[in-house]
């Protein structure tokens, strides 16, 4: 419905979309976790109250409820991009190459982080699940895996146009993916290198099990898949950027359309229609139903953020951030990171913070550019995703490794986050 509304651009479709979004919100409330449920209900009610207090009618309510629907569309459809990779057997080939690195911790760490760096944009959190399923029988050190999973995936958050976090920041700040990628991809690669260098320093103090393994032989077919995989991902990225430049359509819309068309195009050339059908059924039954928390948080946070525009509270936030930035951009950058980490640490999703802050920000008044501001928000988002003991990324890794969330975030990756935050803030402050 959102994609239809985007291209038809009829006012009456916005009302239908708002009704559908409200039904989805109410339906997901009963299935969501307690903390997201409470905050979402409060934000949704607050959005209605603030909109009414400003004297705005149903048009404003409909616009507020649907403000984050582009992001939900992206979130729901992106898992479809993984289907061609499953159909093509690429994950089997990745497993064989990782098995070859079993007795070299540094090479294994680099292998895992690079795989997540490239698969994370396509598979989102599913990339961690898949990599863990591939290597769990190798019985690697859990702290080693905690570092590898979170270093690799956190870099994805910084740059991927297929990740909803990037999407929401670029949407609110009106930044093109081409301009953003100059900063995002560069910092992501830098942080990936920093993580691997820090692992080398940490690994020197560890005792490693160098038990011999006999992985299956890597055939020409597997080598071909490994060579083709980064080219396919690069092709998808280039298509997205070029299409945005030529059509001027929303990046969120382009990625959503690509997620729908890529599996069809793959099946058209491979003639694997039966396999595609099985994967689509699996997607319907497993991938979509687990998104209840995201559905209610994105809808309510978007509504709440839009309702703050023009209110005295929203103006107060804007004035405070402008004054802080004029005093010191470095202090402003540190404040944003600490604020995001603090709020997400107690269970509030980053989308709430970004929806509230980004809608009140004016880069010109802050004395910086839209791209720098977007990069700062993504640095804060990535950091808080690892540190927060209730964030889905942290919870997933802690569950897979049977460790506490605090251990996974703070103990295993605390020094890494401190170093990359210092580097990131220093670079952004210098170029702002």
């Amino acid at each position: 419905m959102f994609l239809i509304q985007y291209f038809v651009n009829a006012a009456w479709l916005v009302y239908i979309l708002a009704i559908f979004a409200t039904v989805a919100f109410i339906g997901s409330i009963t299935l969501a976790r307690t903390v997201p449920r409470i905050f979402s209900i409060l934000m949704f009610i607050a959005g209605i109250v603030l909109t009414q207090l400003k004297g705005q009618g149903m048009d404003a309510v409909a616009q507020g409820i649907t403000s984050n629907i582009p992001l939900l569309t992206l979130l729901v459809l992106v898992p479809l991009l993984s289907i061609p990779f499953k159909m093509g057997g690429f994950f089997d080939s990745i497993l064989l190459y990782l098995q070859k690195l079993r007795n070299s911790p540094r090479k294994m760490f680099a292998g895992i982080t690079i795989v997540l760096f490239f698969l994370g944009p396509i598979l989102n959190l599913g990339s961690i699940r898949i990599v863990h399923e591939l290597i769990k029988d190798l019985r690697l050190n859990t702290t080693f895996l905690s570092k590898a999973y979170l270093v690799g995936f956190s870099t994805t958050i910084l740059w991927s146009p297929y990740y909803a976090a990037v999407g929401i920041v670029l949407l609110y700040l009106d930044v093109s993916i081409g301009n953003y990628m100059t900063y995002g991809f560069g910092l992501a690669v830098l942080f990936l290198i920093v993580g691997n260098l820090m692992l080398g320093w940490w690994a020197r103090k560890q005792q490693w099990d160098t038990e011999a393994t006999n992985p299956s032989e890597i055939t020409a077919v597997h080598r071909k898949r490994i060579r083709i995989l980064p080219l396919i991902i690069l092709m998808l990225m280039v298509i997205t950027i070029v299409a945005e430049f030529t059509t001027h359509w929303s990046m969120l819309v382009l990625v959503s359309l690509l997620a729908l068309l890529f599996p069809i195009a793959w099946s058209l050339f491979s003639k694997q229609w039966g396999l595609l059908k099985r994967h689509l059924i699996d997607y319907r039954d497993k991938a979509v139903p687990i998104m209840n928390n995201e559905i209610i948080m994105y809808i309510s946070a978007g509504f709440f953020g839009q309702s703050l525009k023009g209110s005295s509270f929203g103006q107060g936030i804007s004035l405070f951030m402008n004054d802080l930035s004029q005093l010191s951009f470095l202090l402003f950058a540190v404040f944003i990171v600490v604020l995001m980490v603090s709020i997400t640490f107690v269970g509030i999703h980053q989308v709430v913070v970004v929806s509230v802050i980004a809608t009140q920000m004016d880069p010109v008044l802050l004395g910086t550019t839209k791209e720098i501001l977007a990069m700062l928000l993504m640095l804060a988002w990535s950091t808080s995703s690892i540190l927060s003991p209730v964030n889905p990324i942290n919870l997933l890794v802690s569950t897979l490794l049977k460790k506490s969330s605090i251990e996974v975030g703070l103990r295993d990756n605390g020094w890494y986050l401190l170093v990359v935050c210092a580097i990131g803030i220093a670079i952004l402050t210098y170029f702002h």
Side-chain angles (χ1 to χ4, degrees):
M1 178 58 69
F2 160 71
L3 292 174
I4 293 172
Q5 188 273 331
Y6 182 84
F7 290 106
V8 174
N9 198 25
W12 60 272
L13 278 176
V14 176
Y15 286 98
I16 295 179
L17 187 60
I19 292 172
F20 281 9
T22 304
V23 171
F25 178 83
I26 295 172
S28 298
I29 278 288
T30 58
L31 302 171
R33 296 198 311 269
T34 303
V35 173
R37 181 190 305 146
I38 294 172
F39 276 104
S40 296
I41 292 173
L42 291 176
M43 286 190 295
F44 197 90
I45 294 173
I48 295 175
V49 172
L50 287 171
T51 302
Q52 294 300 315
L53 288 176
K54 290 188 296 181
Q56 297 174 322
M58 291 305 297
D59 284 346
V61 172
Q63 291 291 341
I65 291 174
T66 59
S67 61
N68 274 352
I69 294 301
L71 296 163
L72 274 181
T73 307
L74 177 74
L75 190 72
V76 170
L77 293 181
V78 157
L80 290 171
L81 288 169
S82 68
I83 292 178
F85 297 103
K86 294 175 182 176
M87 295 168 64
F90 289 95
F91 299 147
D92 297 330
S93 301
I94 290 172
L95 169 61
L96 291 182
Y97 273 87
L98 289 179
Q99 285 177 337
K100 288 285 187 181
L101 306 176
R102 167 70 176 81
N103 297 318
S104 176
R106 293 185 186 182
K107 290 181 180 179
M108 174 63 82
F109 189 89
I112 293 173
T113 54
I114 290 172
V115 166
L116 290 174
F117 185 84
F118 284 108
L119 290 187
I122 306 298
L123 306 179
N124 207 317
L125 282 178
S127 61
I128 298 178
R129 288 185 182 276
I130 288 172
V131 170
H132 186 72
E133 285 298 315
L134 293 176
I135 64 175
K136 66 180 181 181
D137 293 333
L138 299 181
R139 297 173 183 167
L140 298 172
N141 181 286
T142 56
T143 301
F144 172 88
L145 290 177
S146 171
K147 292 176 180 290
Y149 292 164
L150 290 176
V151 167
F153 192 80
S154 66
T155 55
T156 293
I157 301 175
L158 291 172
W159 70 276
S160 167
Y162 303 126
Y163 195 70
V166 175
I168 190 172
V169 171
L170 301 189
L171 175 68
Y172 281 134
L173 297 180
D174 191 27
V175 179
S176 74
I177 186 62
N179 293 336
Y180 175 80
M181 287 284 281
T182 305
Y183 296 92
F185 190 78
L187 273 187
V189 172
L190 175 61
F191 291 174
L192 191 66
I193 294 172
V194 169
N196 277 270
L197 291 176
M198 292 185 69
L199 184 280
W201 174 79
W202 174 80
R204 289 201 304 264
K205 304 176 182 179
Q206 309 301 314
Q207 295 294 323
W208 295 97
D209 176 15
T210 56
E211 178 186 350
T213 56
N214 296 303
S216 302
E217 186 65 28
I218 297 177
T219 64
V221 173
H222 292 299
R223 285 192 288 270
K224 181 180 179 181
R225 287 173 184 165
I226 292 299
R227 287 195 301 268
I228 291 176
L229 179 59
L231 295 178
I232 294 175
I233 295 174
L234 178 62
M235 178 196 69
L236 294 175
M237 297 293 175
V238 171
I239 289 174
T240 304
I241 295 172
V242 172
E244 184 193 44
F245 179 77
T246 54
T247 65
H248 302 292
W249 295 347
S250 165
M251 183 271 296
L252 301 173
V253 170
L254 289 170
V255 173
S256 298
L257 290 174
L258 187 63
L260 291 170
L261 296 175
F262 183 45
I264 296 174
W266 185 278
S267 300
L268 192 63
F269 286 100
S270 66
K271 302 294 190 283
Q272 296 175 299
W273 296 107
L275 187 57
L276 173 65
K277 182 180 178 180
R278 289 198 296 272
H279 281 297
L280 288 176
I281 292 172
D282 190 59
Y283 160 80
R284 180 198 66 191
D285 295 340
K286 295 180 180 179
V288 179
I290 63 174
M291 298 181 184
N292 296 296
N293 297 316
E294 286 78 9
I295 288 172
I296 62 174
M297 291 298 288
Y298 275 64
I299 292 175
S300 61
F303 189 15
F304 181 58
Q306 292 297 318
S307 69
L308 283 176
K309 285 185 175 181
S311 69
S312 57
F313 180 65
Q315 291 170 349
I317 293 175
S318 178
L319 183 61
F320 171 76
M321 290 190 297
N322 291 341
D323 290 343
L324 188 61
S325 179
Q326 294 303 319
L327 179 65
S328 168
F329 186 83
L330 175 62
L331 185 61
F332 170 76
V334 172
F335 170 77
I336 292 296
V337 173
V338 172
L339 176 66
M340 187 86 81
V341 170
S342 301
I343 291 179
T344 54
F345 207 85
V346 297
I348 303 176
H349 198 282
Q350 292 99 325
V351 70
V352 178
V353 186
V354 171
S355 295
V356 172
I357 292 180
T359 52
Q360 316 305 321
M361 284 181 171
D362 184 340
V364 176
L365 295 178
L366 291 172
T368 188
T369 64
K370 295 187 294 184
E371 293 77 15
I372 291 290
L373 193 54
M375 196 65 251
L376 176 59
L377 288 174
M378 290 316 307
L379 177 62
W381 192 306
S382 176
T383 303
S384 60
S385 294
I386 298 178
L387 280 179
S388 172
V390 292
N391 187 273
I393 299 171
N394 187 309
L395 286 174
L396 173 61
V397 174
S398 62
T399 301
L400 293 175
L401 301 180
K402 297 179 173 57
K403 301 180 70 172
S404 74
S405 299
I406 297 295
E407 281 184 298
V408 165
L410 197 58
R411 196 191 72 176
D412 294 348
N413 293 282
W415 282 110
Y416 165 74
L417 292 174
L418 186 63
V419 170
V420 296
C421 275
I423 294 173
I425 289 174
I427 292 174
L428 295 177
T429 301
Y430 178 79
F431 285 106
H432 95 97

PDB file of all heavy atoms in Angstrom, residues 390-408:
ATOM      1  N   VAL A 390      19.519  -4.628  26.331  1.00  0.00           N
ATOM      2  CA  VAL A 390      18.195  -5.031  25.859  1.00  0.00           C
ATOM      3  C   VAL A 390      18.018  -4.775  24.366  1.00  0.00           C
ATOM      4  O   VAL A 390      16.924  -4.934  23.829  1.00  0.00           O
ATOM      5  CB  VAL A 390      17.080  -4.297  26.644  1.00  0.00           C
ATOM      6  CG1 VAL A 390      17.045  -4.768  28.075  1.00  0.00           C
ATOM      7  CG2 VAL A 390      17.261  -2.790  26.588  1.00  0.00           C
ATOM      8  N   ASN A 391      19.101  -4.381  23.680  1.00  0.00           N
ATOM      9  CA  ASN A 391      19.015  -4.175  22.241  1.00  0.00           C
ATOM     10  C   ASN A 391      18.973  -5.523  21.525  1.00  0.00           C
ATOM     11  O   ASN A 391      19.646  -6.468  21.937  1.00  0.00           O
ATOM     12  CB  ASN A 391      20.221  -3.362  21.765  1.00  0.00           C
ATOM     13  CG  ASN A 391      20.103  -2.979  20.305  1.00  0.00           C
ATOM     14  OD1 ASN A 391      20.492  -3.731  19.420  1.00  0.00           O
ATOM     15  ND2 ASN A 391      19.550  -1.804  20.049  1.00  0.00           N
ATOM     16  N   PRO A 392      18.193  -5.650  20.451  1.00  0.00           N
ATOM     17  CA  PRO A 392      18.077  -6.940  19.755  1.00  0.00           C
ATOM     18  C   PRO A 392      19.413  -7.526  19.310  1.00  0.00           C
ATOM     19  O   PRO A 392      19.594  -8.746  19.336  1.00  0.00           O
ATOM     20  CB  PRO A 392      17.193  -6.600  18.546  1.00  0.00           C
ATOM     21  CG  PRO A 392      16.382  -5.434  18.994  1.00  0.00           C
ATOM     22  CD  PRO A 392      17.265  -4.641  19.901  1.00  0.00           C
ATOM     23  N   ILE A 393      20.360  -6.686  18.895  1.00  0.00           N
ATOM     24  CA  ILE A 393      21.661  -7.186  18.446  1.00  0.00           C
ATOM     25  C   ILE A 393      22.414  -7.815  19.613  1.00  0.00           C
ATOM     26  O   ILE A 393      22.938  -8.933  19.523  1.00  0.00           O
ATOM     27  CB  ILE A 393      22.488  -6.045  17.819  1.00  0.00           C
ATOM     28  CG1 ILE A 393      21.767  -5.479  16.602  1.00  0.00           C
ATOM     29  CG2 ILE A 393      23.889  -6.542  17.445  1.00  0.00           C
ATOM     30  CD1 ILE A 393      22.390  -4.222  16.047  1.00  0.00           C
ATOM     31  N   ASN A 394      22.476  -7.078  20.722  1.00  0.00           N
ATOM     32  CA  ASN A 394      23.154  -7.581  21.923  1.00  0.00           C
ATOM     33  C   ASN A 394      22.471  -8.844  22.435  1.00  0.00           C
ATOM     34  O   ASN A 394      23.133  -9.839  22.777  1.00  0.00           O
ATOM     35  CB  ASN A 394      23.162  -6.488  22.991  1.00  0.00           C
ATOM     36  CG  ASN A 394      23.978  -6.854  24.216  1.00  0.00           C
ATOM     37  OD1 ASN A 394      23.804  -7.918  24.800  1.00  0.00           O
ATOM     38  ND2 ASN A 394      24.853  -5.970  24.630  1.00  0.00           N
ATOM     39  N   LEU A 395      21.140  -8.819  22.478  1.00  0.00           N
ATOM     40  CA  LEU A 395      20.388  -9.977  22.979  1.00  0.00           C
ATOM     41  C   LEU A 395      20.599 -11.208  22.106  1.00  0.00           C
ATOM     42  O   LEU A 395      20.721 -12.324  22.615  1.00  0.00           O
ATOM     43  CB  LEU A 395      18.892  -9.636  23.044  1.00  0.00           C
ATOM     44  CG  LEU A 395      18.454  -8.715  24.180  1.00  0.00           C
ATOM     45  CD1 LEU A 395      16.983  -8.349  24.025  1.00  0.00           C
ATOM     46  CD2 LEU A 395      18.688  -9.373  25.532  1.00  0.00           C
ATOM     47  N   LEU A 396      20.658 -11.015  20.802  1.00  0.00           N
ATOM     48  CA  LEU A 396      20.861 -12.140  19.904  1.00  0.00           C
ATOM     49  C   LEU A 396      22.214 -12.803  20.150  1.00  0.00           C
ATOM     50  O   LEU A 396      22.310 -14.028  20.294  1.00  0.00           O
ATOM     51  CB  LEU A 396      20.762 -11.675  18.448  1.00  0.00           C
ATOM     52  CG  LEU A 396      21.121 -12.734  17.386  1.00  0.00           C
ATOM     53  CD1 LEU A 396      20.185 -13.928  17.470  1.00  0.00           C
ATOM     54  CD2 LEU A 396      21.100 -12.115  15.994  1.00  0.00           C
ATOM     55  N   VAL A 397      23.271 -11.988  20.224  1.00  0.00           N
ATOM     56  CA  VAL A 397      24.614 -12.532  20.422  1.00  0.00           C
ATOM     57  C   VAL A 397      24.737 -13.198  21.787  1.00  0.00           C
ATOM     58  O   VAL A 397      25.303 -14.289  21.917  1.00  0.00           O
ATOM     59  CB  VAL A 397      25.679 -11.425  20.252  1.00  0.00           C
ATOM     60  CG1 VAL A 397      27.072 -11.952  20.614  1.00  0.00           C
ATOM     61  CG2 VAL A 397      25.668 -10.891  18.830  1.00  0.00           C
ATOM     62  N   SER A 398      24.189 -12.551  22.814  1.00  0.00           N
ATOM     63  CA  SER A 398      24.266 -13.130  24.162  1.00  0.00           C
ATOM     64  C   SER A 398      23.505 -14.449  24.243  1.00  0.00           C
ATOM     65  O   SER A 398      23.922 -15.391  24.910  1.00  0.00           O
ATOM     66  CB  SER A 398      23.736 -12.142  25.206  1.00  0.00           C
ATOM     67  OG  SER A 398      22.369 -11.842  24.979  1.00  0.00           O
ATOM     68  N   THR A 399      22.383 -14.547  23.532  1.00  0.00           N
ATOM     69  CA  THR A 399      21.605 -15.793  23.513  1.00  0.00           C
ATOM     70  C   THR A 399      22.355 -16.901  22.787  1.00  0.00           C
ATOM     71  O   THR A 399      22.423 -18.040  23.265  1.00  0.00           O
ATOM     72  CB  THR A 399      20.242 -15.564  22.840  1.00  0.00           C
ATOM     73  OG1 THR A 399      19.516 -14.556  23.561  1.00  0.00           O
ATOM     74  CG2 THR A 399      19.419 -16.849  22.826  1.00  0.00           C
ATOM     75  N   LEU A 400      22.921 -16.577  21.633  1.00  0.00           N
ATOM     76  CA  LEU A 400      23.651 -17.569  20.852  1.00  0.00           C
ATOM     77  C   LEU A 400      24.869 -18.098  21.594  1.00  0.00           C
ATOM     78  O   LEU A 400      25.196 -19.289  21.521  1.00  0.00           O
ATOM     79  CB  LEU A 400      24.091 -16.972  19.507  1.00  0.00           C
ATOM     80  CG  LEU A 400      22.985 -16.622  18.510  1.00  0.00           C
ATOM     81  CD1 LEU A 400      23.580 -15.931  17.289  1.00  0.00           C
ATOM     82  CD2 LEU A 400      22.207 -17.864  18.087  1.00  0.00           C
ATOM     83  N   LEU A 401      25.546 -17.204  22.346  1.00  0.00           N
ATOM     84  CA  LEU A 401      26.787 -17.585  23.022  1.00  0.00           C
ATOM     85  C   LEU A 401      26.564 -17.976  24.478  1.00  0.00           C
ATOM     86  O   LEU A 401      27.522 -18.324  25.183  1.00  0.00           O
ATOM     87  CB  LEU A 401      27.794 -16.429  22.946  1.00  0.00           C
ATOM     88  CG  LEU A 401      28.169 -15.970  21.536  1.00  0.00           C
ATOM     89  CD1 LEU A 401      29.170 -14.837  21.598  1.00  0.00           C
ATOM     90  CD2 LEU A 401      28.734 -17.136  20.720  1.00  0.00           C
ATOM     91  N   LYS A 402      25.294 -17.860  24.940  1.00  0.00           N
ATOM     92  CA  LYS A 402      24.948 -18.199  26.325  1.00  0.00           C
ATOM     93  C   LYS A 402      25.772 -17.397  27.328  1.00  0.00           C
ATOM     94  O   LYS A 402      26.351 -17.928  28.283  1.00  0.00           O
ATOM     95  CB  LYS A 402      25.119 -19.708  26.575  1.00  0.00           C
ATOM     96  CG  LYS A 402      24.177 -20.578  25.731  1.00  0.00           C
ATOM     97  CD  LYS A 402      24.381 -22.057  25.991  1.00  0.00           C
ATOM     98  CE  LYS A 402      23.334 -22.896  25.273  1.00  0.00           C
ATOM     99  NZ  LYS A 402      23.301 -22.674  23.815  1.00  0.00           N
ATOM    100  N   LYS A 403      25.829 -16.085  27.097  1.00  0.00           N
ATOM    101  CA  LYS A 403      26.514 -15.151  27.978  1.00  0.00           C
ATOM    102  C   LYS A 403      25.530 -14.045  28.343  1.00  0.00           C
ATOM    103  O   LYS A 403      24.515 -13.848  27.671  1.00  0.00           O
ATOM    104  CB  LYS A 403      27.745 -14.543  27.301  1.00  0.00           C
ATOM    105  CG  LYS A 403      28.787 -15.563  26.852  1.00  0.00           C
ATOM    106  CD  LYS A 403      29.980 -14.892  26.192  1.00  0.00           C
ATOM    107  CE  LYS A 403      30.812 -14.131  27.216  1.00  0.00           C
ATOM    108  NZ  LYS A 403      32.073 -13.638  26.629  1.00  0.00           N
ATOM    109  N   SER A 404      25.835 -13.294  29.401  1.00  0.00           N
ATOM    110  CA  SER A 404      24.958 -12.189  29.782  1.00  0.00           C
ATOM    111  C   SER A 404      25.134 -11.028  28.803  1.00  0.00           C
ATOM    112  O   SER A 404      26.189 -10.874  28.182  1.00  0.00           O
ATOM    113  CB  SER A 404      25.275 -11.718  31.203  1.00  0.00           C
ATOM    114  OG  SER A 404      26.485 -10.987  31.230  1.00  0.00           O
ATOM    115  N   SER A 405      24.097 -10.198  28.694  1.00  0.00           N
ATOM    116  CA  SER A 405      24.153  -9.055  27.782  1.00  0.00           C
ATOM    117  C   SER A 405      25.227  -8.055  28.186  1.00  0.00           C
ATOM    118  O   SER A 405      25.855  -7.423  27.327  1.00  0.00           O
ATOM    119  CB  SER A 405      22.780  -8.352  27.745  1.00  0.00           C
ATOM    120  OG  SER A 405      21.782  -9.228  27.277  1.00  0.00           O
ATOM    121  N   ILE A 406      25.422  -7.874  29.475  1.00  0.00           N
ATOM    122  CA  ILE A 406      26.456  -6.952  29.964  1.00  0.00           C
ATOM    123  C   ILE A 406      27.839  -7.456  29.563  1.00  0.00           C
ATOM    124  O   ILE A 406      28.709  -6.674  29.148  1.00  0.00           O
ATOM    125  CB  ILE A 406      26.366  -6.800  31.501  1.00  0.00           C
ATOM    126  CG1 ILE A 406      25.025  -6.170  31.901  1.00  0.00           C
ATOM    127  CG2 ILE A 406      27.527  -5.957  32.020  1.00  0.00           C
ATOM    128  CD1 ILE A 406      24.847  -4.742  31.418  1.00  0.00           C
ATOM    129  N   GLU A 407      28.069  -8.751  29.683  1.00  0.00           N
ATOM    130  CA  GLU A 407      29.364  -9.320  29.287  1.00  0.00           C
ATOM    131  C   GLU A 407      29.622  -9.094  27.804  1.00  0.00           C
ATOM    132  O   GLU A 407      30.708  -8.657  27.400  1.00  0.00           O
ATOM    133  CB  GLU A 407      29.381 -10.826  29.575  1.00  0.00           C
ATOM    134  CG  GLU A 407      29.630 -11.209  31.012  1.00  0.00           C
ATOM    135  CD  GLU A 407      29.711 -12.729  31.169  1.00  0.00           C
ATOM    136  OE1 GLU A 407      28.709 -13.413  30.888  1.00  0.00           O
ATOM    137  OE2 GLU A 407      30.793 -13.209  31.558  1.00  0.00           O
ATOM    138  N   VAL A 408      28.621  -9.392  26.994  1.00  0.00           N
ATOM    139  CA  VAL A 408      28.769  -9.277  25.546  1.00  0.00           C
ATOM    140  C   VAL A 408      29.030  -7.828  25.134  1.00  0.00           C
ATOM    141  O   VAL A 408      29.912  -7.551  24.308  1.00  0.00           O
ATOM    142  CB  VAL A 408      27.509  -9.814  24.844  1.00  0.00           C
ATOM    143  CG1 VAL A 408      27.461  -9.373  23.387  1.00  0.00           C
ATOM    144  CG2 VAL A 408      27.476 -11.329  24.920  1.00  0.00           C
TER     145      VAL A 408
END
